[in-house]
Every structure is written in structure tokens, then in C-alpha cells.
């Protein structure tokens, strides 16, 4: 996927792929691969791809997004019914419904109210139909797995996502788009691809699609989600910068988010996110904050403060940048000074509960660095925290961002006590992504781990006393079920249909007090292997319903068990 290609609306990709003949559909994945090797040039709002020496393909994105099929034009003889237009749409990033910084600001609706709550009941039938289409398309992706879910299956899921959004199922539509984005990253061997993200997206799509036909009231409203975050007036605010983090998404958006806090410890975010790649994520930190008249950059705001009047705030704490907002720079505060000091005084158990149930998942921790431990995805930093051994990982692996290098350097400062900001990763052991830290050698200085690059000279001149890590408690073997859940998403139903050590693994789970997990594991394998035959003994196509239900049950159970084990692990 070229970083020059503009995001394409899901409905556009679905429309172009649906218009292909069966013969051209079979050639679509090959067509995408060929386009990936062709020169791409951006000229203002137009992106040109040289299909060959005599033919150009153009994508027009006047607002940064290709929003109609007519905006993709090809000069070949078969146009507009050619393969090239569908291939270009399938290779481009999937446009999100509304980038965070472009979401509307509304003071008419009450805080937290969703426009969909006032929908007439007549929309229920339309939403049930849309939910069924989502479930069918997502089940087909699960059946094929990431290895087999090519552009045609992706387009079917995008079509279902577009229909779901029109029907008011915004949460499921967004999750479906995230699934397609993750599938493309997986098939392109993108280093930013994470199987756990694909599993989570597919789990959410199927969960919502399964529950919508039966849900009512508050549950249905939560399943629907909202198209845009409603902003509400919040008067005047005095904010103090906490840290800044780069944003780099697989869907083609990048930028920076600066986190601030008020005198009561409530968190607010100022963001600058738009289509782009790692270069924009790095550069956005040095752009002026788009809020009122302030000239502070995001990097400067993370260590300074803001006085805001006429503020508008979303339910998740995102500050709006409407015309009525006024903001000027003000003095900041250190992490060990009021009011920021109170962020670290909240008990870890309380922070964990909030992170598991909230939107940002941030943790403010006192840690002692212990060294590193090797993992399949790379080394992670070990730290003692409130009696537990915490694994601190990189939030991004892109080499343009210094997360991984900074973790490697910090591992040499064993025994150093620091305050850090991290984002919780639910797991059977204490685990979080390191976002910001106190400087290991300079008191009163902080480091944004994704933006500030530490050097060897920044480490303490005299190493602190070595600290022996407490042995990690024996973990419950929930990985036996999680691994099968992930294998199904990666390789499809067929990888679980072969005979294996299902019985032995189920018994091991039962012996560890996880009898339900053992039963789910056996059912998942049985559903994957189930194939009927016709009267002549020939295998019939597999029925995806039982397998999809079995996978969803296992995925939801694993998610909830991880939450419970996460709380237990942090408590020691």
C-alpha cells in the first residue's frame, strides 16, 4: 500500500468490486499486486498511478478522501469496467467515518446523548438486516482466515459495513473497517500488523451482529454506537500538559495527541490527526496546537499549560476546536508537583479498573527498572511495580519512531526508580505500552517515548544497585484456547479441522480449573472439522454457522478471562 494513495470510502470499494465480472474478480488480488509496483505521483488533490507507459489511473480526493466511484478514473480501453479502478480502491487505505479532528461540535444535544437514540422503532428491521449482512460477511472472512481473505471478501465486508453505517450500526461498521485494514496489513506483511488487533475487530463485529436482533434499550444503544462524538460546552478550563504521543494507524492516519489534566486530575486531549504516515506522526509534534490563539506546539504543550474559555469537550475528553473556543498558553507543572502529582497517587487497583472499563487505558505508575526479557515480537522492558513484575512494551514498531530504541536504552538503567505513563494491555500478566517516563538521569525532566530519542549519554553515570526481579507467578494455561482463536483468524477454519492434541489440551485446562475453556476448545475443533456428505459420499461445503458461533464463544470467553486474570496478576 503506497502512503501516497488517499483513503477510499468503504462503499466506493464495494461498488467497484461488485461491478467486476466473475473472471475479473479472480484476477483482483493479482491486479492489486501489480499496481503496488507502479509509480505513484501526487499532484494536489489528484493521485496518478502509471498503469503502463501509455495509461494513467487517477484518484481524485478534493477533501482528502475518495468519496465516489466516479472519482477513480482509468485511461485504459476497458474503462470504466476495468480491473484497475477496483484494484486501486482495494489497495488504498479505507476511509474512516470521521477523523477525530474533523468531528462536528454540537452544543444542542446533551452530553453523552447519541442521535440514534431518537430513531423510530421502524429502523429496527433495517438494522437487523444490516446485522445479518455483517455476520455473513464476517463469517466468510473467518472461514477463509487472513491468508485466504483477499480483496473480494474484503469488499463484501466493506459493503456490509457501508450498509450497517446507513442503518445506524456505527460501532459494527467501524469495527468491520478495522478488520479490512488489518487484513490488508497482514497480507502485505506490514510490520505494524498485529494479529491481536484483527482478532479484536472480528470479535466485535460478530458480537454486535449477534446481539443486535435481540437487544433493546440501553444495550441496543451501546451496540449501535454513534457516528460522531457529541461535544458539549465545558466553560473555562485550566489545563497542565502531561505528555504527547504520536499516532500512527494502519488505516493511513497519523499525527499527535497531547494529554493534559485539570486541577482535579481529569484528562483532556488535544489532537492533530489526518491522513499520512510515520513522517506526519513525527512532524505533528512540532506543529502549533489548533486550539484558540495559542502558538504552542504539541511538544511544548506537553510540558506547559493552557487556559481555555468556551471549551467544548467530547465524552472521552477530546477538546473541540470550534470558532468560539479561546485558548492561550500558561505555565505547566512537573509530574511530582500539584496538580499532576495526584495522577500517580491513585491506587494501582483503581487505575486498572478504570483502564479496563475506559477509553484511553492510561496508567500512571511508579516503577523500578529491572532489565529486559525476550519475546517473539522483540525484547520488552521489565519493571517492578506495586509488588508485581510489569512488562513494558513498545507502542509502535515503526523505525521512524523511537519507541523500541528507547526501551532498549532504558533497560541498561537497572535499579532506577521512575514515574511512567503507560497504556494497559490486558493479559494474564502485568503488561502495558510505555508512552512517557521521567528522564533516567535528569531530575524534573520527562521523556515522550514515541517522540524524544534517548542517547547512551542520557543514562545514569553510576548504575543504581541491581534489583532482583521477583519470580512471576505461574500463569493459567489460557493460551491453549487463545492460540486456537488466533490460529482460526490467521489461517481460517481449515487449520483447526485437522486432528491434533485437542483432548490433552482440554484436560490440561480442566486440571487448571478452566473446565469451560476446555469445553470451548473441544467445540471449536469439532465445529471446524464438521463436514457433511451428499448421497454419493462427496463432501458438502462447510456450514459456517456452527463454527462462527464456536469461535465467537471462545473469543469472548478468552477476552473476559484475560480481564479477570489481568486484575489478579497485578494484585500479585
Amino acid at each position: 500500500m503506497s502512503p501516497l494513495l488517499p483513503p477510499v470510502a468503504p462503499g466506493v470499494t464495494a461498488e467497484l468490486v461488485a461491478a467486476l465480472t466473475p473472471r475479473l474478480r479472480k484476477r483482483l488480488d493479482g491486479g492489486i499486486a501489480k499496481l503496488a509496483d507502479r509509480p505513484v505521483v501526487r499532484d494536489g488533490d489528484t493521485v496518478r498511478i502509471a498503469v503502463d507507459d501509455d495509461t494513467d489511473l487517477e484518484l481524485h480526493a478534493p477533501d482528502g478522501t475518495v468519496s465516489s466511484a466516479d472519482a477513480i478514473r482509468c485511461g485504459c480501453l476497458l474503462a470504466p469496467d476495468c480491473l484497475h479502478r477496483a484494484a486501486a480502491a482495494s489497495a488504498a487505505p479505507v476511509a474512516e467515518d470521521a477523523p477525530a479532528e474533523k468531528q462536528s461540535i454540537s452544543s444542542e444535544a446533551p452530553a453523552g446523548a447519541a442521535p440514534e437514540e431518537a430513531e423510530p422503532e421502524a429502523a429496527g428491521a433495517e438494522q437487523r438486516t444490516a446485522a445479518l449482512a455483517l455476520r455473513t460477511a464476517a463469517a466468510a472472512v473467518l472461514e477463509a482466515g487472513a491468508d485466504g481473505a483477499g480483496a473480494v471478501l474484503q469488499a463484501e465486508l466493506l459493503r456490509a459495513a457501508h450498509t450497517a453505517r446507513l442503518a445506524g450500526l456505527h460501532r459494527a461498521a467501524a469495527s468491520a473497517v478495522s478488520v479490512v485494514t488489518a487484513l490488508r496489513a497482514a497480507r502485505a506483511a506490514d510490520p505494524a500488523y498485529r494479529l491481536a488487533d484483527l482478532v479484536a475487530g472480528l470479535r466485535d463485529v460478530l458480537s454486535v451482529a449477534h446481539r443486535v436482533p435481540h437487544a433493546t434499550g440501553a444495550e441496543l444503544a451501546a451496540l449501535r454506537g454513534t457516528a460522531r462524538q457529541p461535544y458539549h460546552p465545558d466553560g473555562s478550563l485550566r489545563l497542565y500538559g502531561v505528555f504527547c504521543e504520536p499516532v500512527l494507524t494502519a488505516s493511513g492516519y497519523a499525527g499527535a495527541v497531547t494529554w493534559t489534566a485539570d486541577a482535579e486530575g481529569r484528562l483532556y486531549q488535544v489532537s492533530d490527526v489526518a491522513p499520512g504516515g510515520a513522517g506526519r506522526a513525527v512532524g505533528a509534534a512540532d506543529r502549533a496546537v489548533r486550539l484558540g490563539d495559542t502558538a504552542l506546539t504539541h511538544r511544548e504543550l506537553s510540558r506547559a499549560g493552557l487556559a481555555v474559555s468556551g471549551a467544548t469537550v467530547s465524552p472521552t475528553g477530546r477538546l473541540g476546536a470550534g470558532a468560539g473556543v479561546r485558548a492561550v498558553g500558561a505555565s505547566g507543572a512537573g509530574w511530582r508537583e500539584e496538580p499532576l502529582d495526584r495522577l500517580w497517587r491513585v491506587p494501582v487497583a483503581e487505575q486498572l479498573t478504570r483502564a479496563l472499563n475506559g477509553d484511553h487505558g492510561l496508567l500512571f505508575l511508579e516503577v523500578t527498572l529491572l532489565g529486559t526479557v525476550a519475546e517473539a515480537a522483540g525484547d520488552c522492558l521489565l519493571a517492578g511495580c506495586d509488588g508485581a513484575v510489569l512488562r513494558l512494551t513498545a507502542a509502535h514498531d515503526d523505525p521512524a519512531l523511537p519507541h523500541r530504541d528507547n526501551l532498549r536504552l532504558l533497560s541498561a538503567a537497572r535499579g532506577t526508580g521512575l514515574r511512567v505513563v503507560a497504556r494497559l494491555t490486558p493479559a494474564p500478566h502485568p503488561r502495558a505500552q510505555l508512552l512517557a517516563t521521567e528522564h533516567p538521569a535528569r531530575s524534573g525532566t520527562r521523556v515522550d517515548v514515541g517522540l524524544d530519542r534517548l542517547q547512551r549519554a542520557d543514562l545514569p553515570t553510576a548504575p543504581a544497585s541491581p534489583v532482583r526481579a521477583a519470580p512471576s507467578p505461574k500463569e493459567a494455561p489460557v493460551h491453549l484456547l487463545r492460540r486456537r482463536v488466533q490460529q482460526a483468524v490467521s489461517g481460517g477454519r481449515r487449520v483447526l479441522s485437522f486432528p491434533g492434541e485437542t483432548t490433552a489440551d482440554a484436560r490440561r485446562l480442566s486440571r487448571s480449573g478452566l473446565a469451560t475453556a476446555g469445553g470451548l476448545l473441544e467445540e471449536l475443533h469439532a465445529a471446524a472439522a464438521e463436514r457433511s456428505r451428499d448421497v454419493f459420499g462427496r463432501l458438502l461445503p462447510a456450514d459456517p454457522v456452527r463454527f462462527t458461533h464456536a469461535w465467537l464463544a471462545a473469543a469472548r470467553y478468552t477476552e473476559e478471562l484475560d480481564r479477570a486474570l489481568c486484575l489478579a496478576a497485578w494484585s500479585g
Side-chain angles (χ1 to χ4, degrees):
M1 181 188 300
S2 171
L4 294 177
L5 294 181
V8 177
V12 172
T13 304
E15 178 183 345
L16 292 175
V17 174
L20 295 176
T21 64
R23 180 178 65 86
L24 289 180
R25 284 193 180 195
K26 294 179 180 178
R27 296 170 52 192
L28 181 56
D29 288 312
I32 295 172
K34 289 181 179 179
L35 278 188
D37 296 329
R38 303 304 301 164
V40 180
V41 177
R42 180 182 287 273
D43 181 12
D45 296 331
T46 301
V47 174
R48 292 185 179 86
I49 305 175
V51 176
D52 54 40
D53 293 339
D54 303 313
T55 305
D56 282 344
L57 178 68
E58 294 184 347
L59 291 83
H60 298 270
D63 297 320
T65 298
V66 178
S67 55
S68 70
D70 294 337
I72 302 180
R73 306 164 191 169
C74 185
C76 75
L77 296 176
L78 295 179
D81 300 321
C82 62
L83 179 68
H84 304 130
R85 297 172 70 221
S90 300
V94 184
E96 298 179 357
D97 182 33
E101 73 283 3
K102 294 184 180 179
Q103 291 176 335
S104 66
I105 298 172
S106 172
S107 59
E108 299 176 0
E116 290 73 25
E117 291 176 358
E119 282 186 308
E121 192 60 34
E126 182 182 2
Q127 291 180 343
R128 286 193 291 271
T129 300
L132 177 60
L134 270 175
R135 186 172 63 186
T136 301
V141 168
L142 180 62
E143 171 77 14
D147 294 342
V152 173
L153 285 182
Q154 294 170 24
E156 291 299 322
L157 187 53
L158 289 178
R159 175 183 293 278
H162 181 62
T163 302
R165 179 164 286 126
L166 294 178
L169 299 180
H170 302 289
R171 171 182 163 183
S175 293
V177 168
S178 73
V179 168
V180 173
T181 299
L183 286 171
R184 292 180 178 179
R187 294 173 63 82
D190 188 332
Y193 164 69
R194 300 195 180 194
L195 178 57
D197 294 338
L198 178 54
V199 170
L202 199 55
R203 181 182 63 227
D204 195 60
V205 173
L206 289 171
S207 295
V208 174
H210 176 72
R211 285 299 307 159
V212 161
H214 314 288
T216 58
E219 182 190 7
L220 181 57
L223 291 172
R224 287 171 175 166
T226 57
R228 299 172 184 266
Q229 291 191 43
Y231 283 71
H232 62 87
D234 205 19
S236 297
L237 297 172
R238 176 63 169 93
L239 303 176
Y240 301 83
V242 182
F243 75 101
C244 182
E245 65 172 322
V247 175
L248 184 61
T249 72
S251 57
Y253 287 85
V257 172
T258 300
W259 292 82
T260 65
D262 66 8
E264 304 300 321
R266 290 187 295 265
L267 296 174
Y268 297 84
Q269 310 116 59
V270 181
S271 66
D272 178 2
V273 180
R280 193 182 193 285
V282 174
D286 295 312
R287 293 173 179 263
V289 171
R290 291 188 289 179
L291 195 68
D293 300 321
T294 178
L296 291 173
T297 66
H298 281 269
R299 194 187 299 271
E300 291 169 341
L301 174 58
S302 69
R303 292 158 175 81
L306 273 183
V308 186
S309 62
T312 56
V313 184
S314 77
T316 59
R318 191 181 301 276
L319 290 170
V325 179
R326 298 289 181 267
V328 294
S331 60
W335 282 2
R336 296 182 182 269
E337 301 171 352
E338 288 294 340
L340 298 186
D341 179 65
R342 68 177 56 203
L343 296 173
W344 279 266
R345 294 205 308 267
V346 177
V348 173
E350 183 178 332
Q351 292 193 51
L352 285 172
T353 302
R354 183 180 62 194
L356 286 170
N357 297 326
D359 295 314
H360 51 70
L362 294 183
L363 300 174
F364 300 87
L365 306 172
E366 303 263 6
V367 304
T368 301
L369 303 183
L370 303 176
T372 59
V373 64
E375 294 186 338
D379 290 351
C380 65
L381 182 63
L382 285 180
C385 177
D386 200 36
V389 178
L390 169 64
R391 296 189 181 198
L392 292 169
T393 63
H396 293 285
D397 284 321
D398 193 294
L401 301 174
H403 290 91
R404 184 68 65 184
D405 292 339
N406 284 339
L407 256 68
R408 189 177 299 112
L409 276 174
L410 287 170
S411 68
R414 297 183 181 183
T416 303
L418 299 170
R419 280 186 170 181
V420 303
V421 183
R423 180 169 286 114
L424 177 67
T425 302
H429 55 265
R431 189 179 188 87
Q433 296 174 343
L434 182 61
L435 304 176
T437 177
E438 290 180 319
H439 196 284
R442 300 174 193 165
S443 178
T445 304
R446 64 189 78 162
V447 176
D448 293 328
V449 175
L451 298 171
D452 304 323
R453 193 174 292 274
L454 289 169
Q455 304 295 329
R456 180 71 59 180
D458 292 318
L459 299 179
T461 54
S465 301
V467 177
R468 179 173 297 178
S472 299
K474 184 178 181 182
E475 296 179 5
V478 67
H479 67 276
L480 298 175
L481 180 60
R482 185 190 303 107
R483 184 175 62 196
R484 302 306 203 288
V485 169
Q486 294 178 341
Q487 284 177 338
V489 172
S490 180
R493 180 194 56 79
R494 65 184 181 277
V495 302
L496 299 184
S497 62
F498 304 110
E501 300 178 354
T502 309
T503 302
D505 287 345
R507 288 176 178 171
R508 182 180 173 189
L509 287 166
S510 296
R511 287 196 302 268
S512 300
L514 300 175
T516 300
L520 289 171
L521 178 62
E522 292 182 320
E523 168 60 15
L524 183 59
H525 274 274
E530 182 183 53
R531 294 290 296 274
S532 301
R533 296 180 181 271
D534 61 18
V535 293
F536 300 104
R538 294 173 299 193
L539 283 173
L540 295 173
D543 179 6
V545 174
R546 181 186 175 190
F547 177 65
T548 300
H549 285 172
W551 182 88
L552 180 58
R556 289 295 302 272
Y557 174 88
T558 303
E559 177 191 24
E560 292 301 320
L561 186 59
D562 276 344
R563 288 169 60 91
L565 292 175
C566 175
L567 288 171
W570 279 80
S571 68

